[in-house]
Amino acid sequence: RGAAISDGLSAFEWYVAYVESGARAHGCPDEYLQHLATVATCADPDRERAELHGRQVNTVQPIPAVRSSLRSM
């Protein structure tokens, strides 16, 4: 495990929402989506950044090359 990873930290809510949105857009397995739902999150103290990313989450589009490689797994 890398030195930059700390078990005491949580991901910002908007970041996990981005990951979930991308995972859905790319057709990731339900097991992975269920795992993402268990990731500890916290509110971003920078409200402006949180609002910006919160608005962008629903604009995530699949990247064709990624989607096809996931299907071949």
Side-chain angles (χ1 to χ4, degrees):
R1 198 165 186 158
I5 298 173
S6 173
D7 289 331
L9 297 177
S10 297
F12 289 140
E13 295 162 334
W14 60 260
Y15 178 78
V16 174
Y18 260 138
V19 175
E20 288 176 351
S21 183
R24 289 182 200 290
H26 289 287
C28 288
D30 288 338
E31 296 81 22
Y32 182 68
L33 295 171
Q34 291 168 359
H35 168 70
L36 291 175
T38 69
V39 172
T41 62
C42 64
D44 187 339
D46 182 335
R47 295 183 84 180
E48 188 174 316
R49 177 177 56 197
E51 289 173 10
L52 170 68
H53 290 293
R55 287 190 305 269
Q56 293 175 343
V57 165
N58 293 325
T59 66
V60 173
Q61 297 293 316
I63 300 169
V66 173
R67 181 172 238 169
S68 64
S69 68
L70 286 171
R71 287 190 178 148
S72 65
M73 294 176 88

